[in-house]
């Protein structure tokens, strides 16, 4: 008998998703790798930070739009 978790179902709410499932996770890890490569010199990684920040902004806007389109009574 398999558990519901083992069936790889999407969580009922987007906020319940794991961070690794975020569409921005690749940008996040690229930022961390850049910091590691340049010994935490943030100035060398600004482009990575900007890309990640823009991705998070788009992800948030998409989440807000999904929430707006949901009915409270559905």
């Amino acid at each position: 008998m398999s558990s519901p978790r083992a069936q790889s179902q999407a969580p009922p709410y987007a906020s319940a998703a794991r961070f690794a499932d975020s569409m921005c996770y690749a940008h996040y890890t690229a930022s961390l790798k850049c910091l590691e490569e340049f010994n935490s010199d943030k100035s060398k990684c600004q482009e990575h930070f900007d890309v990640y920040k823009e991705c998070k902004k788009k992800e948030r806007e998409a989440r807000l739009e999904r929430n707006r389109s949901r009915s409270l009574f559905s």
Side-chain angles (χ1 to χ4, degrees):
M1 187 165 152
S2 65
S3 70
R5 197 85 166 145
Q7 295 174 358
S8 299
Q9 293 178 342
Y13 305 101
S15 62
R18 294 180 318 198
F19 181 65
D21 295 333
S22 165
M23 63 187 220
C24 301
Y25 186 71
H27 303 298
Y28 170 76
T29 55
S31 297
L32 293 181
K33 286 180 183 178
C34 181
L35 285 172
E36 190 174 290
E37 182 180 334
F38 291 106
N39 298 316
S40 299
D41 184 353
K42 294 178 183 178
S43 65
K44 305 264 188 192
C45 302
Q46 190 59 50
E47 185 177 335
H48 291 284
F49 299 149
D50 293 341
V51 170
Y52 175 65
K53 185 177 178 180
E54 188 62 30
C55 182
K56 290 300 286 184
K57 182 180 174 183
K58 288 178 183 177
E59 191 176 58
R60 180 179 181 275
E61 289 169 354
R63 185 179 65 247
L64 290 174
E65 186 58 38
R66 278 193 314 271
N67 290 345
R68 268 190 230 106
S69 65
R70 288 184 179 160
S71 169
L72 292 174
F73 303 105
S74 63

